[in-house]
Amino acid sequence: MASMMASRIGDALGRRTTGCMGEAFSRGGGGTSGGDEEGVPNSSTVMGHPGPSSVARSQPAFRLALVSAFRLLNRGLERLVPPPPSARRNRWKWRNIWTSLAHSVLSGGGALAGFCLHPGMSEDLVGTHPPGAHSLVAVSVGYFLEDFVDMLCNQKLHQSWELLFHHSVVIVCFGIAVLLHQYVGFALVALLVEINSIFLHLRQILLMANLVHTTCYRLNSIINLGTYVVFRIATLAWMTRWLFLNRENVPPATYAVGTVGMAIMTPMNIILFYRLLRSDFFKSSRDVQREKEQ
């Protein structure tokens, strides 16, 4: 089943994911969908993107190109950013965090740029998006697939099950948006969470580098907490509200997936917020050491 999902998502990921992110967002204007006179999208063209028939004709060599690209990045980062002595016992995690940081900068920055360049996209999160938005969500699916496999192969299940569960939910929700070319704007709202993830990953890097008792770590902790409230908790609350207000306009199956996703993500992020508060502002040396070794 996992291979079938990866294959289907890979087909969609093979499309137009290259090029400058800024150029991609600036092309296509509103990116409105093609369709008949009544505004119903055609089966062959949605949002100015090729339909399922074009996906089937895409070259097989690019089916999992995005997963492979993040995998290559993961392998190359140890040379680009060598681990400090304190992190050499856990080299895979050092590479993993830097890969996650690269994705957060790309996706979080891209999502913010998308809404700044196309503010009208916030008025229709279902059927309108610029071409770059779809590519950005597709890139994120590739990252979450790669990170899922990386954790599954290198970390014990009792240490990683929460993130594996989180990634599974994201892959399903984002995969639907990529495959159907619908709800891409809603997925882009979810990617605003990655702005906070930048500081979460920087925190972990500083922790592994034994830089806990530094001004840099303290400053990052404060920014991390602030962006957590603004870009993570507030964003998830807004998404939950949007789903509730638009429940009559969303198909039951899609509404069910979105509701379950929000029901899972919200408590997970509240728990993580509590852990951050306890660790960075009410921490003991034992808590820091245990978090570093995980």
Side-chain angles (χ1 to χ4, degrees), residues 3-280:
S3 61
M4 289 176 64
M5 179 181 293
S7 176
R8 290 185 63 197
I9 294 176
D11 285 334
L13 298 183
R15 298 185 235 168
R16 300 177 62 187
T17 55
T18 59
C20 176
M21 180 178 65
E23 180 182 354
F25 272 116
S26 63
R27 291 199 309 264
T32 55
S33 60
D36 57 24
E37 295 180 355
E38 296 180 356
V40 179
N42 295 326
S43 60
S44 60
T45 306
V46 182
M47 317 304 189
H49 293 268
S53 59
S54 299
V55 181
R57 292 194 296 268
S58 61
Q59 297 182 17
F62 293 98
R63 289 164 62 93
L64 295 176
L66 292 173
V67 179
S68 302
F70 276 107
R71 193 63 184 166
L72 289 173
L73 175 64
N74 182 288
R75 290 300 179 185
L77 275 171
E78 189 166 355
R79 293 184 179 181
L80 294 173
V81 190
S86 57
R88 286 174 186 168
R89 291 192 304 173
N90 211 350
R91 291 176 178 269
W92 85 266
K93 186 175 181 180
W94 180 259
R95 296 193 307 267
N96 179 277
I97 295 171
W98 277 99
T99 305
S100 299
L101 177 61
H103 167 259
S104 295
V105 171
L106 174 66
S107 59
L112 191 61
F115 283 108
C116 289
L117 293 172
H118 300 278
M121 184 169 54
S122 60
E123 299 175 4
D124 181 11
L125 299 178
V126 178
T128 301
H129 64 270
H134 181 270
S135 298
L136 190 64
V137 177
V139 167
S140 291
V141 176
Y143 158 74
F144 283 112
L145 282 169
E146 188 279 332
D147 199 48
F148 184 96
V149 173
D150 193 37
M151 287 189 294
L152 199 62
C153 294
N154 293 287
Q155 198 169 26
K156 294 178 180 179
L157 188 60
H158 75 273
Q159 294 177 320
S160 62
W161 72 268
E162 291 181 34
L163 277 176
L164 292 174
F165 188 43
H166 167 275
H167 284 17
S168 300
V169 175
V170 174
I171 289 167
V172 170
C173 295
F174 281 16
I176 290 173
V178 170
L179 290 171
L180 301 182
H181 287 270
Q182 296 285 308
Y183 307 99
V184 173
F186 192 70
L188 210 65
V189 173
L191 283 178
L192 290 173
V193 169
E194 293 298 323
I195 294 175
N196 167 250
S197 294
I198 294 172
F199 302 100
L200 278 175
H201 298 318
L202 283 174
R203 174 184 178 276
Q204 200 65 31
I205 288 170
L206 292 170
L207 195 64
M208 292 190 70
N210 267 343
L211 297 174
V212 178
H213 304 291
T214 62
T215 303
C216 186
Y217 183 90
R218 188 67 178 173
L219 180 62
N220 184 77
S221 296
I222 296 171
I223 298 174
N224 183 30
L225 208 63
T227 55
Y228 200 103
V229 173
V230 175
F231 288 104
R232 193 172 286 269
I233 294 178
T235 297
L236 289 172
W238 187 92
M239 292 172 68
T240 303
R241 177 179 177 273
W242 185 93
L243 270 176
F244 177 77
L245 293 178
N246 291 273
R247 61 190 182 281
E248 301 296 334
N249 303 319
V250 178
T254 307
Y255 180 76
V257 172
T259 303
V260 171
M262 291 296 99
I264 293 171
M265 293 298 178
T266 301
M268 287 183 69
N269 280 277
I270 292 174
I271 292 171
L272 178 57
F273 184 71
Y274 165 74
R275 289 175 178 173
L276 284 172
L277 276 176
R278 187 184 65 181
S279 177
D280 285 354

